[in-house]
Amino acid sequence: MSGTSDYTPPKVWTWNKANGGQFASINRPISGPTHDKELPVGRHPLQLYSLGTPNGQKVTIMLEELLALGHEGAEYDAWLIRIGDGDQFGSGFVAVNPNSKIPALMDRSGPKPIRVFESGAILTYLAEKFGAFLPTEPSARAECLSWLFWQMGSAPYLGGGFGHFYAYAPTKIEYAIDRFAMEVKRQLDVLDRRLAESEYLAGSQYTIADIAVWPWYGGLVKGWTYGAAEFLQVEDYKNVLRWADTIYSRPAVQRGRMVNRLSGDPSSQLHERHDASDFDTRTQDKLAAAE
């Protein structure tokens, strides 16, 4: 591996738009809206503005799991935010999430709408609101929240680190790929050791910790993420694979993974979700057949 580089950082960094690679059109060093655009509002108490990335899937899986338990108040409208088009920089979205990242949630069930942003915050908010998937016994709750926050701290190394340099960067940088591949494999080993002694991350019960971790690391070992399963030798992590398959067998997980999804088989893409019947009538294959 070469230890040299033609690049020497300047004394003061300046923004070069041409260096953004695949994401040059949406990445910028400032926050705030770029245009005026109000968000749509549907008929349900919960309004979700998202995209079917791993972070977006966490919330749609949670909502579908709550509905499967019979929590009618968890009915929701899921509106598609096309981040490649810059929808997250519209004034309405920025008002819900000043960080301009999906997912973002508005709870309109009370007298005053409540905004919730960041996927971990949304999962915790919903778990507490409906009394589900978050243990109340102190030690179990601490274990659940520890693994939830483990995901928040770890996934940027998988996505923004490994995923970016392995799959998206305009040039392949050996040092960067090696650095982040090593860290992702360490993270998989952390999960594998935990899941060797526990059915789920927080113990014997399925919780928001699993809902948060699965779209990232379950998707990785299932071969859905970055085309990197062989490169990372994911078959070595047998306990993670067992856990990933167990969670994927849940119907609510399969439904949640479809919502706001823009890739894959058209039958697995439900661009917007406004009613439970949409899974049967409004997937992209059904809409194309009706045209």
Side-chain angles (χ1 to χ4, degrees):
M1 178 174 63
S2 174
T4 62
S5 171
D6 294 332
Y7 174 70
T8 300
K11 289 184 178 181
V12 178
W13 181 85
T14 57
W15 182 25
N16 182 349
K17 292 183 181 181
N19 285 345
Q22 182 174 337
F23 305 101
S25 64
I26 60 171
N27 285 345
R28 58 199 182 108
I30 56 174
S31 63
T34 60
H35 58 282
D36 289 329
K37 185 178 181 180
E38 292 303 308
L39 291 173
V41 178
R43 63 187 177 88
H44 296 304
L46 300 176
Q47 299 293 301
L48 177 66
Y49 305 96
S50 192
L51 180 67
T53 65
N55 283 336
Q57 289 174 32
K58 297 174 197 174
V59 180
T60 50
I61 288 171
M62 178 65 169
L63 290 165
E64 292 297 327
E65 292 281 15
L66 290 168
L67 290 169
L69 286 181
H71 293 286
E72 295 180 1
E75 271 293 351
Y76 68 104
D77 291 277
W79 302 94
L80 181 61
I81 299 296
R82 295 180 181 268
I83 61 176
D85 295 343
D87 290 352
Q88 69 275 33
F89 300 120
S91 57
F93 189 89
V94 174
V96 180
N97 185 354
N99 196 37
S100 292
K101 303 289 185 181
I102 61 93
L105 181 74
M106 286 295 292
D107 182 355
R108 296 178 174 273
S109 62
K112 180 180 179 181
I114 297 172
R115 76 176 187 184
V116 196
F117 59 92
E118 295 298 325
S119 58
I122 296 172
L123 290 179
T124 304
Y125 177 82
L126 292 172
E128 293 180 338
K129 179 180 177 72
F130 294 102
F133 303 115
L134 177 59
T136 56
E137 191 276 323
S139 63
R141 179 183 174 86
E143 189 73 18
C144 175
L145 292 177
S146 293
W147 285 107
L148 173 67
F149 282 91
W150 177 89
Q151 187 276 317
M152 305 301 148
S154 297
Y157 291 97
L158 169 55
F162 173 77
H164 177 78
F165 287 105
Y166 182 80
Y168 302 131
T171 58
K172 301 298 183 188
I173 303 171
E174 183 179 3
Y175 174 82
I177 293 172
D178 282 352
R179 166 68 180 88
F180 289 112
M182 177 179 65
E183 172 59 13
V184 170
K185 287 183 70 68
R186 187 195 70 82
Q187 293 173 2
L188 287 169
D189 193 51
V190 170
L191 290 174
D192 202 63
R193 290 170 184 267
R194 171 57 178 167
L195 292 166
E197 62 187 18
S198 179
E199 182 177 4
Y200 296 104
L201 287 172
S204 61
Q205 300 299 313
Y206 174 69
T207 69
I208 56 173
D210 302 289
I211 293 171
V213 173
W214 184 84
W216 282 104
Y217 296 89
L220 183 66
V221 300
K222 293 289 287 180
W224 300 331
T225 309
Y226 308 128
E230 181 180 7
F231 180 77
L232 295 171
Q233 296 178 289
V234 299
E235 70 276 3
D236 292 347
Y237 306 100
K238 300 188 186 308
N239 299 301
V240 181
L241 285 163
R242 182 268 306 163
W243 166 85
D245 287 339
T246 297
I247 293 177
Y248 186 53
S249 69
R250 299 176 70 92
V253 171
Q254 295 175 30
R255 290 193 298 274
R257 191 168 178 267
M258 294 170 64
V259 179
N260 298 145
R261 184 179 177 84
L262 293 178
S263 62
D265 191 290
S267 66
S268 71
Q269 299 181 39
L270 181 62
H271 287 187
E272 290 188 358
R273 188 266 192 213
H274 303 290
D275 188 84
S277 64
D278 290 346
F279 291 102
D280 298 319
T281 63
R282 296 193 60 79
T283 52
Q284 286 304 108
D285 61 321
K286 302 284 189 0
L287 294 179
E291 291 180 354

